[in-house]
Amino acid sequence: MYASKLYSWKFILPAFLLFFGLFLVPNLMGFYYSLTNWNAMSDQVKFIGLDNFREVFTDPSNFRFIYNTLMFALVTSLFKAVIGLALALMLNEGMKSKNVLRTIFFMPVVISNLIVGLIFQQIYNPDTGILNEFLHAIGLGALSQSWIGDPKLAIWSSMGVEIWKAAGFNMVIFLAGLQMVPKEMYEAADIDGANYWNKLMKVTIPFLIPSITINMMLNVISGLKVFDVIFALTNGGPGRASEVINLTIFNQFGLGTYGYGTALGVLLFVFLAVISVGLVKIFTRSEVNAG
């Protein structure tokens, strides 16, 4: 009976061929070229083993973009989820303007990352940007900064843009999850005298574990893959202060060091796969325990 429910290989074959040709073959070729000295200066592609990977981890100048990438993924993932959850809880109540507010908070998601980066270049401008102008207007001019010109602030300013843009997407997923919480659970908690915090931790959060899993996995993956926001906002500068791994890969291909750039891409792929599988296992275990 079970075998009769399986799809015929004739249905699976077209999808498998597309997957094999457009995903598996390019990735396998990428693994191979990451083990070579492929570059724009020579027609000869020589096998060099793990030299590219060894150079990645032994060059101290690479620690900056590795640190930036990890911090970007960690900080933006947490803040996007927390702010998205707070917005979802606020706009899930019987507020008259909740549909308008949901649209406003979700609107940044549909704007191109490159356009967002260019807009925030003007907002962060130390002389004419509205952020510093606003701080001066409310008497907090001492807090005005060169937001993307200061090497210590550039990566954090980029994180702020990413959080502002994507928190609305997290909100939508949490709102969908909140519709699955049975009202009877809240009524029973009210009868038992539970306050808002008790209901949030004992009723709402356990039902939101699947939404938290999806949000955190998408947040971490998008954080590790970040490119266009930083490319448009700081281009990795000042110096290499806000450089991330995808920007480094882009620059390496621009320099013609294709083998080294491919090795960085392979490392990112492996790291993303490990993080994704780990997050799914952690949150799936939490989901089972909560159930």
Side-chain angles (χ1 to χ4, degrees):
M1 180 180 291
Y2 178 73
S4 65
K5 294 182 179 178
L6 294 177
Y7 289 107
S8 165
W9 64 270
K10 296 177 183 177
F11 289 100
I12 298 172
L13 186 61
F16 176 77
L17 289 176
L18 285 174
F19 183 75
F20 182 80
L22 300 178
F23 180 79
L24 288 182
V25 171
N27 274 284
L28 291 174
M29 291 175 66
F31 276 111
Y32 169 72
Y33 281 113
S34 69
L35 302 174
T36 69
N37 69 340
W38 183 31
N39 62 78
M41 305 300 292
S42 172
D43 294 331
Q44 301 295 321
V45 178
K46 181 182 176 184
F47 183 81
I48 57 172
L50 298 175
D51 285 0
N52 286 327
F53 296 96
R54 193 175 296 113
E55 185 178 346
V56 170
F57 291 109
T58 55
D59 184 353
S61 65
N62 289 339
F63 295 158
R64 168 58 67 179
F65 74 73
I66 294 173
Y67 172 80
N68 283 344
T69 306
L70 294 176
M71 284 300 295
F72 192 96
L74 177 65
V75 173
T76 58
S77 297
L78 291 175
F79 275 90
K80 283 188 287 188
V82 170
I83 295 173
L85 177 60
L87 291 173
L89 291 171
M90 183 178 68
L91 299 178
N92 193 46
E93 302 296 334
M95 189 182 295
K96 286 184 178 178
S97 58
K98 64 181 182 182
N99 289 331
V100 175
L101 292 173
R102 286 176 182 178
T103 304
I104 291 173
F105 287 122
F106 184 74
M107 198 173 293
V109 178
V110 302
I111 305 175
S112 162
N113 284 337
L114 288 174
I115 294 175
V116 169
L118 295 174
I119 292 172
F120 271 86
Q121 262 191 354
Q122 302 305 314
I123 293 175
Y124 283 148
N125 188 296
D127 300 319
T128 59
I130 61 172
L131 180 54
N132 280 350
E133 293 290 335
F134 174 73
L135 290 173
H136 284 290
I138 61 174
L140 296 175
L143 297 179
S144 62
Q145 303 286 338
S146 177
W147 300 101
I148 55 176
D150 186 337
K152 294 179 181 177
L153 289 178
I155 188 66
W156 297 97
S157 301
S158 304
M159 292 178 192
V161 176
E162 175 70 12
I163 294 166
W164 170 83
K165 185 178 186 305
F169 182 77
N170 282 239
M171 175 196 71
V172 170
I173 294 178
F174 281 130
L175 278 171
L178 286 171
Q179 310 314 308
M180 304 301 292
V181 183
K183 301 297 181 188
E184 295 80 8
M185 298 292 289
Y186 291 121
E187 293 171 359
D190 287 333
I191 293 173
D192 290 339
N195 57 28
Y196 179 81
W197 180 254
N198 295 138
K199 287 188 284 187
L200 175 66
M201 299 305 296
K202 301 295 183 182
V203 179
T204 307
I205 295 297
F207 276 96
L208 286 181
I209 292 296
S211 301
I212 295 172
T213 304
I214 294 170
N215 272 331
M216 289 304 294
M217 190 163 67
L218 294 178
N219 288 346
V220 170
I221 290 173
S222 67
L224 292 172
K225 290 170 57 182
V226 63
F227 171 75
D228 35 16
V229 167
I230 290 182
F231 177 72
L233 190 62
T234 67
N235 197 20
R240 299 181 67 183
S242 60
E243 190 170 309
V244 291
I245 188 166
N246 265 336
L247 193 58
T248 307
I249 293 171
F250 177 79
N251 290 334
Q252 290 298 326
F253 273 84
L255 293 171
T257 50
Y258 307 131
Y260 185 75
T262 307
L264 288 171
V266 168
L267 286 174
L268 179 61
F269 171 79
V270 171
F271 200 63
L272 283 173
V274 171
I275 292 287
S276 301
V277 172
L279 282 175
V280 168
K281 284 189 176 296
I282 290 171
F283 284 106
T284 302
R285 190 182 302 121
S286 301
E287 189 176 346
V288 171
N289 292 336

